[in-house]
Amino acid sequence: MTRRVLQLLIGLFLYGIAIAMIVRGAVGVAPWDVLTQGLNLRTGLSFGLITIIVGGLVLLAWIPLKQRPGVGTVLNVLLVGPSADIGLAVIPADLDLWARILLFAGGLLLLGVASGLYIGGNFGPGPRDGLMTGIHRVTGWPIWVGRTGVELVVLGIGWLLGGNVGIGTVVFAVLIGPICGYTIPLFRIAPRTEHSTTAVDEAVLEGDTPPSKPIVDSPAN
């Protein structure tokens, strides 16, 4: 249990730092962060606070889907945003291109490690991936279909609001799945309870590969 708790907390903290690195890289960010950036530009609220607010709103969407959050779900909403703000405060903006590329690459790798750490703790899903599994359970659509549809909508709204869509957005979409496909099994803590999602399911949720068949409902990530 001690290791699980440490993995969860360290993973969530590093997840926020990784997001900050990718944002400061300024070559394109993940779809949900494009939305956060756009809202940040329009409202003036901090990136971290908007992350918390969006995460809370996504959790509200769990209600009609009859999804149940875990401890990790709540901590995901509460901790990733503040840690991202810490990273943004420490990492300078407007760096040279070579430094921004290195920041992006390092942030992408760190995000993969952070995902493996907090998912491996098996404390419950993050709000966005829980939304995907809920949509799958209610509609019967494959998880990758629901995920792609939701993230395209989020990406479009964020881009219209002024979020940073670039080559990094494409690189993120292509590489984050394979990276998490390695780190999730690496940090997974066994034995899992009957309510825990398998590492394979989590790899699909993180974008590793479209499932060949529908995946059962999952409370993880």
Side-chain angles (χ1 to χ4, degrees):
M1 178 61 72
T2 300
R3 179 186 165 186
R4 290 177 63 205
V5 172
L6 285 175
Q7 276 200 199
L8 174 68
L9 296 178
I10 293 172
L12 291 176
F13 177 78
L14 292 180
Y15 199 99
I17 298 298
I19 289 175
M21 293 173 66
I22 292 172
V23 169
R24 287 293 189 239
V27 293
V29 298
W32 285 96
D33 295 327
V34 173
L35 176 62
T36 303
Q37 279 189 322
L39 292 171
N40 168 254
L41 291 172
R42 298 294 179 175
T43 66
L45 299 175
S46 75
F47 188 97
L49 179 57
I50 294 173
T51 299
I52 294 173
I53 293 172
V54 171
L57 292 175
V58 172
L59 276 185
L60 291 178
W62 283 30
I63 296 174
L65 299 175
K66 297 182 179 179
Q67 290 283 93
R68 292 186 296 177
V71 173
T73 310
V74 177
L75 290 179
N76 184 299
V77 173
L78 296 178
L79 297 183
V80 171
S83 65
D85 273 347
I86 291 173
L88 291 172
V90 172
I91 304 170
D94 301 322
L95 297 171
D96 292 337
L97 179 60
W98 67 268
R100 291 191 284 113
I101 292 174
L102 289 178
L103 265 179
F104 175 86
L108 181 62
L109 291 174
L110 181 60
L111 191 141
V113 171
S115 297
L117 285 170
Y118 91 84
I119 290 171
N122 286 316
F123 275 108
R128 294 156 186 82
D129 285 329
L131 175 66
M132 308 306 167
T133 55
I135 291 174
H136 160 70
R137 182 174 55 80
V138 170
T139 66
W141 299 341
I143 287 179
W144 71 270
V145 172
R147 182 186 183 111
T148 301
V150 170
E151 293 197 348
L152 284 175
V153 171
V154 167
L155 180 66
I157 295 173
W159 177 71
L160 290 174
L161 293 174
N164 183 9
V165 179
I167 185 64
T169 306
V170 178
V171 173
F172 183 96
V174 171
L175 294 183
I176 190 59
I179 293 172
C180 288
Y182 175 78
T183 61
I184 290 170
L186 179 65
F187 294 109
R188 177 174 55 84
I189 299 175
R192 299 183 300 274
T193 68
E194 62 180 354
H195 297 296
S196 297
T197 299
T198 66
V200 174
D201 290 345
E202 289 296 356
V204 173
L205 289 176
E206 290 297 332
D208 185 19
T209 180
S212 58
K213 59 183 180 179
I215 294 179
V216 296
D217 182 28
S218 158
N221 191 332

